[in-house]
Amino acid sequence: METINSEIFTLTYGSIVRQLITDLEDIEEVNKQLEMMGYNIGIRLIDEFLAKSKTTKCVDFRDTADKVARVGFRMFLSASAAVSNWNADNTACNVVLEDNPLVDFVELPENCSNLKYCNVLCGVIRGALEMVNIRVECTVAKDTLKGDDATELHLKLLSQEAESYPFKDDD
């Protein structure tokens, strides 16, 4: 897979966020746009993930979250991530990124304290999983830009549908 310099990617993303803040002038609207941008990326990225990752079919949501964290983040962000804090029925967890390349060179100004700078990641996860019939809610739980020790994304399973095929096999 062709790669680009991570610094160029980080700076380009920062420029996009800055331009959204300038254009929209409403941090909540910027948060929505970042998530929607990520969603649109995710619905396209899933094809590349499935084609190039050589992973097997996930057996449950726990397996899915693990593959997103361990394979997906490494493949597309060159970042390592881990899954933690599962709830009792295995429908919610946190994906922890110790070293998030998106936040390199970034300092949030005081007037942007409500900005969810990494909301694009939530959108990517939501979009990608929706393409394989898994609906999730993803939110930024912790953010290194706001003083936390790591970036943490909270994943909550909303529904998981069985695969359906648009045609019937000929008998």
Side-chain angles (χ1 to χ4, degrees), residues 106-164:
V106 178
E107 289 182 27
L108 289 183
E110 287 182 25
N111 65 331
C112 294
S113 62
N114 291 333
L115 179 66
K116 296 176 184 170
Y117 190 82
C118 296
N119 224 22
V120 70
L121 298 176
C122 292
V124 169
I125 291 170
R126 187 174 69 86
L129 292 181
E130 209 167 276
M131 293 299 103
V132 291
N133 298 322
I134 301 171
R135 287 189 54 242
V136 296
E137 178 182 284
C138 184
T139 55
V140 178
K142 290 184 179 180
D143 192 343
T144 55
L145 295 176
K146 297 179 182 175
D148 295 316
D149 56 340
T151 301
E152 241 177 79
L153 307 176
H154 181 71
L155 282 178
K156 180 180 178 185
L157 177 65
L158 300 177
S159 68
Q160 192 167 1
E161 299 174 24
E163 289 183 70
S164 61

